């Protein structure tokens, strides 16, 4: 079957579009005929270095996807042809964290496209609990985008961030998949949203999606702009995945008792902790990554209720995956870059 795989680590020269063995389905698993997927930052990390993740080469890339059930158990709750989305976190179901429903913290979690063969292929096999009915009102690319980006944003904004209607959230680096998803979720919740970017056109786009304030970082001071907008109060929540470059501004933008949720560190992961500010102002710093299967179910319901559609920047056929990876590495996109797995 056709797949996009890596056979080493480095640049695009290790990324190939070619034949890979057909996966074999066992009892309890579902074979999915894939149709669409999207790119995530971790795909670049897997290509570049493997990111310290235990995996075997060659390995098929891609974490998420939309497709149709090709084979399943009779009692799986699915039937051949059902449109489905895939949750990439395959957990053990037995450890302390799985038992309490926090399967994303599973000590033996294996992620599709990280620890095992990924979703950028004609077919993929995953346990039945990792397969969910696709929302009927989204196209294949929009549906595919929910499982990693929107789920990550959901856990950050809702579970960890506890954002409520009327509160204010500051989202750094609008344009990336998670930040755009966080903007959508925060507006649907009824919060006020401040976004930052180096690019004026990304701020304009965010404001058409409901962002209440856009801060153009080359010529506007983040903390001053936030304080002016919030009558010197500060924001209830900061959502960020930039790390070092924005950490100081993020901490200074928070209201007393406010929360900062981070899911990445693209500019560096060792910012000064600023402990005095943390304890005196009683700030909460929360880490987050991906989300549980139950959170994914909650997200799918929320998206349907609020008619929320992931933003797809553009779609590439499989053979143009190198170009897609280049666009992402230059952070040119607004929202998600998608792959058509049948082209
Ligand atoms: Zn577990």
């Amino acid at each position: 079957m056709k797949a996009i795989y890596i056979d080493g680590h480095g640049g695009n020269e290790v990324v190939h579009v070619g034949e890979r063995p057909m996966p074999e389905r066992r009892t309890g698993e579902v074979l999915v005929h894939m149709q669409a997927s999207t790119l995530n930052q971790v795909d670049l990390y897997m290509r570049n270095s493997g990111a310290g993740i235990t995996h075997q080469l060659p390995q098929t890339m891609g974490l998420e996807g939309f497709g149709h059930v090709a084979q399943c158990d009779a009692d799986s709750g699915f039937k051949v042809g059902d449109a489905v989305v895939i949750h990439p976190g395959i957990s053990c179901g037995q450890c302390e964290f799985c038992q309490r429903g926090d399967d994303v913290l599973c000590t033996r979690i294996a992620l599709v496209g990280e620890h095992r063969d990924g979703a950028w292929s004609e077919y993929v096999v995953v346990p039945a609990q990792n397969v969910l009915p696709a929302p009927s009102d989204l196209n294949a690319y929009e549906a595919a985008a929910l499982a990693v980006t929107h789920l990550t944003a959901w856990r950050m904004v809702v579970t960890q961030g506890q954002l409520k209607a009327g509160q204010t959230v500051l989202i750094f680096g609008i344009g990336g998949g998670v930040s755009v998803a966080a903007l959508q979720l925060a507006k649907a919740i009824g919060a006020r949203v401040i976004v930052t970017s180096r690019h004026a056109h990304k701020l304009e786009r965010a404001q058409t999606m409901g962002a209440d304030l856009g801060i153009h970082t080359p010529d506007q001071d983040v903390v001053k702009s936030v304080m002016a907008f919030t009558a010197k109060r500060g924001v209830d929540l900061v959502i960020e995945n930039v790390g070092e470059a924005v950490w100081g501004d993020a901490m200074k933008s928070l209201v007393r008792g406010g929360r900062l949720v981070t899911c990445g560190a693209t500019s560096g992961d060792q910012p000064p902790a600023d402990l005095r500010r943390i304890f005196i102002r009683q700030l909460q710093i929360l880490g987050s990554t991906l989300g549980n299967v139950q959170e994914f179910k909650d997200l799918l319901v929320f998206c349907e209720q609020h008619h929320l559609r992931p933003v797809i920047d553009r779609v590439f056929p499989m053979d143009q995956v190198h170009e897609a990876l280049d666009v992402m590495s230059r952070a040119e996109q607004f929202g998600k870059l998608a792959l058509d797995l049948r082209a």
Side-chain angles (χ1 to χ4, degrees):
M1 64 166 188
K2 190 176 176 184
I4 298 168
Y5 63 93
I6 47 172
D7 64 356
H9 300 120
N12 270 336
E13 72 280 359
V14 305
V15 179
H16 305 278
V17 184
E19 283 296 310
R20 291 276 288 150
M22 182 80 181
E24 280 181 37
R25 187 188 76 88
R26 293 173 300 182
T27 303
E29 296 179 329
V30 175
L31 177 73
V32 181
H33 184 198
M34 299 301 295
Q35 183 172 337
S37 187
T38 71
L39 278 71
N40 293 288
Q41 204 66 36
V42 72
D43 299 316
L44 282 179
Y45 299 150
M46 292 306 295
R47 179 197 74 176
N48 296 350
S49 68
I53 292 163
T54 305
H55 63 290
Q56 292 184 330
L57 296 173
Q59 179 169 286
T60 302
M61 300 179 76
L63 270 70
E64 64 195 7
F66 167 93
H68 296 89
V69 173
Q71 281 178 21
C72 58
D73 295 332
D75 61 356
S76 64
F78 293 100
K79 59 183 189 308
V80 171
D82 280 352
V84 293
V85 286
I86 292 170
H87 181 290
I90 296 170
S91 54
C92 77
Q94 289 163 356
C95 73
E96 171 191 349
F97 307 101
C98 285
Q99 298 244 326
R100 72 179 195 209
D102 243 345
D103 40 83
V104 74
L105 297 179
C106 175
T107 52
R108 281 172 280 178
I109 197 165
L111 287 156
V112 172
E114 294 188 33
H115 305 86
R116 53 186 275 160
D117 276 329
W120 293 354
S121 61
E122 264 180 271
Y123 291 93
V124 68
V125 161
V126 288
Q129 63 262 28
N130 288 81
V131 178
L132 288 100
S136 55
D137 53 346
L138 300 184
N139 69 35
Y141 309 106
E142 293 165 342
L146 292 172
V148 173
T149 306
H150 272 68
L151 180 56
T152 299
W154 176 266
R155 187 168 171 88
M156 293 178 83
V157 171
V158 177
T159 310
Q160 312 277 45
Q162 296 283 313
L163 186 67
K164 302 286 188 294
Q167 293 187 333
T168 307
V169 56
L170 168 61
I171 302 170
F172 279 95
I174 200 68
V178 171
S179 58
V180 173
L183 165 61
Q184 289 183 309
L185 293 172
K187 287 314 297 180
I189 287 167
R192 295 197 304 167
V193 181
I194 304 171
V195 297
T196 78
S197 178
R198 286 172 290 166
H199 306 287
H201 68 274
K202 292 189 179 183
L203 294 173
E204 283 165 23
R205 181 85 185 269
Q207 282 169 309
T208 66
M209 294 174 63
D212 299 275
L213 177 69
I215 302 173
H216 188 233
T217 51
D219 55 28
Q220 288 178 301
D221 184 273
V222 171
V223 179
K224 280 183 187 160
S225 304
V226 165
M227 289 304 160
F229 184 76
T230 59
K232 298 184 184 169
R233 177 183 177 271
V235 299
D236 301 279
L237 175 65
V238 169
I239 296 292
E240 77 96 12
N241 57 16
V242 181
E244 260 176 55
V246 306
W247 194 261
D249 284 348
M251 302 287 276
K252 288 176 191 155
S253 297
L254 279 171
V255 69
R256 289 169 173 262
R259 296 179 166 204
L260 181 152
V261 186
T262 175
C263 77
T266 50
S267 70
D269 63 0
Q270 300 291 329
D274 203 356
L275 291 176
R276 191 170 290 115
R277 178 178 294 276
I278 291 175
F279 67 73
I280 289 176
R281 297 178 69 84
Q282 305 200 34
L283 306 178
Q284 299 182 56
I285 313 295
L286 301 158
S288 198
T289 188
L290 201 64
N292 297 317
V293 172
Q294 183 58 49
E295 288 173 308
F296 192 30
K297 291 176 183 171
D298 295 342
L299 167 68
L300 294 178
V301 171
F302 184 89
C303 288
E304 194 160 8
Q305 284 174 345
H306 293 269
H307 307 291
L308 202 149
R309 308 185 84 90
V311 177
I312 304 298
D313 181 287
R314 67 197 102 156
V315 180
F316 296 85
M318 286 177 93
D319 293 336
Q320 290 176 22
V321 64
H322 302 104
E323 194 181 331
L325 289 163
D326 284 343
V327 170
M328 191 168 59
S329 67
R330 295 192 297 263
E332 288 172 0
Q333 78 277 15
F334 189 95
K336 298 291 287 178
L337 300 166
L339 286 171
D340 180 350
L341 300 174
R342 301 212 179 153

